[in-house]
Amino acid sequence: MKKISVVIAGRHSTSICLEEEFLHELKRIALIRHKSLNDLVTEIDRNKKKSNLSSAIRVYILNEIKNH
C-alpha cells in the first residue's frame, strides 16, 4: 500500500491509500487523458457512489479496464 496526498477541486487536501498496481494504473489513466492526478481524482470524487475515496478510485480503475 502506498499513501499519497492529493488536492481535490484545487482546495481540499487529502490522502489516499492504494496498492502500487492501482496507483500505477491511476497515473496511466491520467496521462492518457492529459489530466493531472489531482484533476482525475477530483473527477472521481465528484462522481463517486461510495463514501470512501480509495474504494471509489479502485472501482473507477476497474471500470476503465473493463471498458477498454
Side-chain angles (χ1 to χ4, degrees):
M1 294 288 272
K2 182 152 181 156
K3 188 175 197 175
I4 63 165
S5 295
V6 293
V7 177
I8 297 174
R11 63 182 178 270
H12 177 72
S13 183
T14 191
S15 295
I16 55 175
C17 287
L18 292 171
E19 294 80 4
E20 292 281 341
E21 297 85 356
F22 281 105
L23 184 56
H24 174 77
E25 195 62 25
L26 184 65
K27 289 178 179 179
R28 187 186 70 77
I29 293 167
L31 184 65
I32 289 169
R33 296 200 170 172
H34 305 287
K35 292 186 175 195
S36 70
L37 193 58
N38 288 334
D39 288 342
L40 183 56
V41 171
T42 296
E43 178 184 319
I44 294 167
D45 183 64
R46 188 179 318 120
N47 296 312
K48 73 181 188 243
K49 293 179 174 68
K50 299 184 180 297
S51 61
N52 182 289
L53 180 57
S54 294
S55 293
I57 290 170
R58 287 185 193 93
V59 169
Y60 175 86
I61 292 168
L62 177 63
N63 287 330
E64 284 295 307
I65 291 169
K66 286 170 56 175
N67 291 328
H68 292 285

